Amino acid sequence: MTKNILFIMFDQLRFDYLSCAGHGDLQTPNIDRIAEKGVRFTRAYVQSPVCGPSRMSTYTGRYPSSHGAQYNGFPLRIGEMTLGDHLRPLGMGCWLIGKTHMRVDQAGMERLGLSPDSVIGARQAECGFDIWQRDDGLWAEGPDGFYDKNRSPYSAYLKSKGYPGENPWADFANAAVEGNDIASGWFMTNANKPANIDEQDSETPWLTTEAIKFIEQAEAPWCAHLSYIKPHWPYIVPAPYHDMFGPEHVPPPLRSAIEQDDPHPVYEAFMNNRIGKAFSRDEVRNKVIPAYMGLIKQCDDQMGRLFEHLETTGQMKNTVIVITSDHGDYLGDHWLGEKDLFHEQSVKVPLIIYDPSTDADVTRGTTCDALVEAIDLPATFIEIAGGEVPHHIIEGHSLMPFLRGEAPVEWRNFAVSEYNYSTSPMATQLKVSNVDARLFMITDQHYKFIHAEGGFRPMLFDLQADPNEFHDRGASPDHKEIIDMMYDRLGQWARRSSQRVTRSDTEINALKADPKGVGIVLGVYDKTEIDLALTVKYRGQTPEKQE
Amino acid sequence: MTKNILFIMFDQLRFDYLSCAGHGDLQTPNIDRIAEKGVRFTRAYVQSPVCGPSRMSTYTGRYPSSHGAQYNGFPLRIGEMTLGDHLRPLGMGCWLIGKTHMRVDQAGMERLGLSPDSVIGARQAECGFDIWQRDDGLWAEGPDGFYDKNRSPYSAYLKSKGYPGENPWADFANAAVEGNDIASGWFMTNANKPANIDEQDSETPWLTTEAIKFIEQAEAPWCAHLSYIKPHWPYIVPAPYHDMFGPEHVPPPLRSAIEQDDPHPVYEAFMNNRIGKAFSRDEVRNKVIPAYMGLIKQCDDQMGRLFEHLETTGQMKNTVIVITSDHGDYLGDHWLGEKDLFHEQSVKVPLIIYDPSTDADVTRGTTCDALVEAIDLPATFIEIAGGEVPHHIIEGHSLMPFLRGEAPVEWRNFAVSEYNYSTSPMATQLKVSNVDARLFMITDQHYKFIHAEGGFRPMLFDLQADPNEFHDRGASPDHKEIIDMMYDRLGQWARRSSQRVTRSDTEINALKADPKGVGIVLGVYDKTEIDLALTVKYRGQTPEKQE
């Protein structure tokens, strides 16, 4: 029987902010329980350390430079195949509960005459998912704000619960109160205050309830993408989570003065932006990190609620559970905030996979340090659904062999991630063109290499000698051979076959096996050189034109 | 007033088989006349030396590895933008008269619910063109033949003229008579016989007549792709063209014994295939080349007819004329027949552009040796139609500055071509995988470099010292620096931004200029740090939940 897939994604959850990953102060027993039943991948990389392109890669199984949606708000081109396109023909439904950060290719929809009113058009407009609930959160306001009440079922829920105003997401779920003012969660000084909302009405419990409602009625087999908006900023959480952690739980920042000594120009520009400057201040870290931990603690408690539902309904036995994130959060490490660059805190994500089948018994509770990419998930899901992975489209590889304790015969020896910063002020400062405002990361088990377009030197970190990534060896003559090797790999990867999406290997092999070629006889001088069958038509007939 | 564009493409026309390009025995006065009125580009390269991918690049303005249709019969993916998508919104019609070699992405059409019965579906199925006549020719028969009478208006024409049988294309237009037998043009021994058809009924005059009919009724401004099937094989031509040329006009083959001494394995495999073996025989060249010359002579005569029509109707004054080909023909040079590889005889094409406007007076009758690619044509046409070239989609550049005698400020310093031989028997012989059966060429004004995936050494020719490309320096230690430079260029090219097709530079620049970002305030600790306008909402309000 085909199992279901519960594909849980948190937003901006750092790989090391889970107790199963070694965090000392933050206990996440519910997520840990899945790790104990499954495999925890310790070197899982997203294909771009920012929401939109990371998710588009995870949903398509393709690198950002393959699918083209290389930054937040860059639409996913019409016709680009997503999880739903692959799973539905295998008989598995593909549903969304939460966030995708997908922007529809409106010009492409119009060019192809597709309307979101049709089933096909709706799926194209929703990243291939059928929608249980879609809510991308981040309903910003202010003079340039965006807030689409039609796209916020969570706001509708809050209104139904009596929270007033146009945008209760901003005014209650992501704000506290201070005197007579709204103390907005957008301002990090408010991160230690309780959000002005009943805890059970906040985003994470609401979405968990939606997931349980979905599961209660879903037709199996299903793949459900349960996609939380948290612990992503605004950094604010309701009581009792707002003061579970305090400055005493904030670790010292993982940064070194040596990083500020002649840094790579791109890194320097990010360090010096408003976010980097803010997160280099202790007062910011001391307010934000406890709130971030509280948000994660709330997430884990909701996982407990969800997993209990699966246990009591017997679904834990027929559901594969995946827990991951779309990127991490610097939190002041490396003099940076947010994500965007390629230090482990940003580009590496938690990845836990639990498979209830007996095949996976051999690996329960283990970790795996293979170089895994987020684009491996669609391939994994296709295998679970009983399909063949179409590798002329999907660039990732199924992780199921790792769960069965079988080392794949061939596995990648480097992982890749990309970043397009063309819309940022840093591109202007660095005077790079839109196409040059791109970064490529290659990491293997020893080194991490970053190439920046635009004529800059590369960056290089020796992960074995320098696991904290403080010492950039990109300008080191001693590392020339490593850098040359990394450029060879980058070239090999960049030349990959990523767009031959209309011709499968099976089809090519069939053409190769029968090279006669549909009756065209090439390079033949005389009919005696080939089979009689091909020439019989030309014998004993003298056709004449009829006047 | 926007001019029309008559975009003439021949199939398999070698760059040097025109008298304006220096051919001594073959006079092509009509094509030469356009060269005298326009600019002849002497280093124009197709993006793949084989029909399908070359044409898909020419119609999309994108490299084969960008559009994905990398070999004959590989469908052009749904939604990939073509000439028609770019020209029609500018008010210019985009019409097809002849061949495209486009295969529809049927799976994509079905996935997106598109039917060829609709206007949108029909254009998707026809490479973006509106159809005056589409006929791809090559209506092969035999046990594995293909012949779709619904797709051959030319066969329908022949039938209307009284030619009997199911497939008069094969039986008359491309066959002679020998005794009581059809002497098929597929067999090169028959190349010196006259095709069993009235000359005015043969393919080239038929299509020319269709072009004149189109022009007589077309609504200006129009772009018409007049796309001839000839001088492509079958090598057979009706009287009087069949014996205008004889073995005495066949030049010695441009080949050297040194090419067979330790050749590159991929080159060796092509030399040793049936076609290479056949074209290395004198009897084959002595039959084929005179027929090939006769076919070209017929093409040129039809050009005379067409241009006279334009002159007498006054259209020559408001029509840009482009003459080119989709690839060349080895004709036994380099021990090869057909095309497929990257010697000049295969990958370089004739390219002549005539612009009637006075801006172009300064360059009439000149040649231009800039490195030009076929993907430059859509960009050129968009400029003619009065549009801005969308360089996030189209990878070529307008050639109009060259016609105005303005050297572009920046122009490419190398041209690129690609070849995917995964379906061929050579891939099997060489034991390369489908993705490794790919070749990349880079040429500049000094060298030509070819990279073969699959662990082979590269090929390198010094075009200045060795213009005949006999001496492969790909294994030469003396050329290591050149080869390293070429690999750097290949990497630079392979990392190009080719799929960010949903976000234009104009849009990115607008986002960059206004980095406030739709009301999201990132990295702000306190409301005093930002504009009052962004925070006014948060003052003097204490919202309360309504119970």
Side-chain angles (χ1 to χ4, degrees), chain A residues 31-98:
Chain A
I31 293 172
D32 292 7
R33 185 148 55 101
I34 302 301
E36 282 156 22
K37 295 153 69 91
V39 173
R40 187 168 63 83
F41 292 88
T42 60
R43 297 209 64 198
Y45 291 92
V46 289
Q47 273 48 78
S48 189
V50 67
C51 299
S54 171
R55 287 159 180 271
M56 297 309 106
S57 284
T58 305
Y59 306 151
T60 61
R62 292 159 59 73
Y63 294 98
S65 53
S66 301
H67 61 65
Q70 293 168 26
Y71 191 68
N72 290 341
F74 288 20
L76 187 68
R77 67 184 282 181
I78 198 80
E80 188 71 21
M81 287 180 77
T82 52
L83 263 181
D85 292 310
H86 296 292
L87 296 182
R88 274 189 212 99
L90 299 170
M92 179 177 277
C94 188
W95 293 85
L96 173 68
I97 309 164

Side-chain angles (χ1 to χ4, degrees), chain A residues 235-251:
Chain A
Y235 299 107
I236 192 161
V237 64
Y241 298 100
H242 75 294
D243 63 0
M244 280 187 184
F245 306 96
E248 69 276 19
H249 300 112
V250 173

Side-chain angles (χ1 to χ4, degrees), chain A residues 65-66 68 70 73-75 77 79-81 85 103 105 111-114 120 124 140-141 143-146 161-164 171-172 177 179-182 184 186-189 196 198 201 233 274-275 278 281 283-284 287 338 422-425 428 434-435 438 440 451 453 490 494-497 499-500 502-503 505 508-509 511-512 515-516 518-527 529-530 533-535 537-546, chain B residues 65-66 68 70 73-75 77 79-81 85 103 105 111-114 120 124 140-141 143-146 161-164 171-172 177 179-182 184 186-189 196 198 201 233 274-275 278 281 283-284 287 338 422-425 428 434-435 438 451 453 490 494-497 499-500 502-503 505 508-509 511-512 515-516 518-527 529-530 533-535 537-546:
Chain A
S65 53
S66 301
Q70 293 168 26
F74 288 20
R77 67 184 282 181
E80 188 71 21
M81 287 180 77
D85 292 310
R103 173 76 61 96
D105 175 8
R111 211 164 53 240
L112 295 184
L114 295 176
I120 288 172
Q124 285 293 317
E141 290 193 84
D144 297 301
F146 65 94
K161 286 286 188 172
Y163 294 90
D171 298 347
F172 291 89
V177 168
N180 284 329
D181 288 354
I182 293 178
S184 171
W186 289 118
F187 306 123
M188 294 187 288
T189 187
N196 184 18
D198 292 341
D201 290 339
W233 43 253
R274 186 171 63 186
I275 299 164
R281 289 154 61 186
E283 60 183 344
V284 170
K287 291 240 177 156
E338 278 272 88
S422 59
T423 63
S424 81
T428 309
N434 292 335
V435 295
R438 293 184 300 142
F440 300 88
H451 167 70
E453 297 291 336
L490 182 62
R495 297 190 311 267
R496 75 196 182 278
S497 179
Q499 303 302 323
R500 200 202 74 212
T502 59
R503 202 42 117 204
D505 285 304
I508 288 176
N509 294 340
L511 288 165
K512 199 157 25 191
K516 272 178 299 187
V518 293
I520 290 177
V521 285
L522 279 184
V524 176
Y525 184 68
D526 191 275
K527 62 191 172 194
E529 294 174 16
I530 59 170
L534 281 167
T535 65
K537 175 172 167 35
Y538 303 118
R539 304 186 183 196
Q541 301 183 37
T542 309
E544 280 182 28
K545 180 179 170 187
Q546 316 292 313
Chain B
S65 52
S66 301
Q70 293 169 26
F74 288 20
R77 67 184 281 179
E80 188 71 20
M81 287 181 78
D85 293 310
R103 174 76 61 96
D105 174 9
R111 211 164 53 242
L112 295 184
L114 295 176
I120 288 173
Q124 285 292 318
E141 290 192 85
D144 298 302
F146 66 94
K161 286 286 189 172
Y163 294 90
D171 298 347
F172 292 89
V177 169
N180 285 329
D181 287 356
I182 292 178
S184 171
W186 289 117
F187 307 121
M188 295 188 285
T189 185
N196 185 18
D198 292 340
D201 290 339
W233 43 254
R274 187 171 62 185
I275 298 164
R281 289 154 61 185
E283 62 182 344
V284 170
K287 291 239 177 155
E338 277 272 87
S422 58
T423 63
S424 82
T428 309
N434 291 336
V435 295
R438 293 183 300 142
H451 167 71
E453 297 290 337
L490 181 62
R495 296 189 311 266
R496 73 196 182 277
S497 178
Q499 303 303 324
R500 198 202 74 211
T502 59
R503 201 42 115 205
D505 285 304
I508 288 176
N509 294 339
L511 288 165
K512 197 158 26 191
K516 272 178 297 186
V518 293
I520 290 177
V521 284
L522 279 182
V524 176
Y525 184 68
D526 192 275
K527 61 191 171 192
E529 296 174 15
I530 59 169
L534 281 166
T535 65
K537 177 173 164 39
Y538 302 118
R539 304 186 182 196
Q541 301 184 37
T542 310
E544 279 182 27
K545 182 179 171 188
Q546 315 294 313

Side-chain angles (χ1 to χ4, degrees), chain B residues 134-146:
Chain B
R134 176 174 174 183
D135 196 310
D136 275 7
L138 306 185
W139 298 119
E141 290 192 85
D144 298 302
F146 66 94

Side-chain angles (χ1 to χ4, degrees), chain B residues 148-329:
Chain B
D148 178 353
K149 60 187 173 190
N150 297 319
R151 295 307 303 274
S152 179
Y154 175 60
S155 284
Y157 166 81
L158 290 180
K159 289 174 191 175
S160 79
K161 286 286 189 172
Y163 294 90
E166 177 62 18
N167 187 352
W169 180 92
D171 298 347
F172 292 89
N174 289 281
V177 169
E178 185 169 36
N180 285 329
D181 287 356
I182 292 178
S184 171
W186 289 117
F187 307 121
M188 295 188 285
T189 185
N190 297 325
N192 62 337
K193 301 183 181 77
N196 185 18
I197 192 166
D198 292 340
E199 191 272 330
Q200 69 270 27
D201 290 339
S202 60
E203 283 170 289
T204 302
W206 168 74
L207 201 66
T208 306
T209 302
E210 288 297 326
I212 291 170
K213 282 196 230 167
F214 168 82
I215 292 167
E216 282 175 338
Q217 59 77 57
E219 185 180 343
W222 45 261
C223 173
H225 181 40
L226 174 55
S227 184
Y228 288 96
I229 296 139
K230 297 297 180 186
H232 193 288
W233 43 254
Y235 301 106
I236 193 161
V237 63
Y241 297 101
H242 75 294
D243 63 359
M244 280 188 185
F245 306 96
E248 69 275 19
H249 300 112
V250 173
L254 198 74
R255 68 192 184 203
S256 163
I258 204 163
E259 293 179 284
Q260 297 184 310
D261 177 24
D262 191 23
H264 189 283
V266 176
Y267 177 35
E268 184 174 33
F270 277 84
M271 277 198 280
N272 289 332
N273 73 11
R274 187 171 62 185
I275 298 164
K277 290 287 186 199
F279 275 89
S280 297
R281 289 154 61 185
D282 287 345
E283 62 182 344
V284 170
R285 297 184 76 250
N286 286 338
K287 291 239 177 155
V288 162
I289 291 176
Y292 182 71
M293 293 168 73
L295 285 163
I296 296 168
K297 185 69 184 170
Q298 186 188 28
C299 288
D300 188 71
D301 285 347
Q302 291 299 315
M303 288 299 98
R305 209 183 134 211
L306 179 63
F307 300 149
E308 170 142 352
H309 177 81
L310 292 176
E311 291 283 10
T312 55
T313 57
Q315 300 259 38
M316 191 62 93
K317 291 196 210 99
N318 61 12
T319 303
V320 173
I321 299 176
V322 176
I323 300 174
T324 191
S325 178
D326 60 347
H327 54 75
D329 191 328

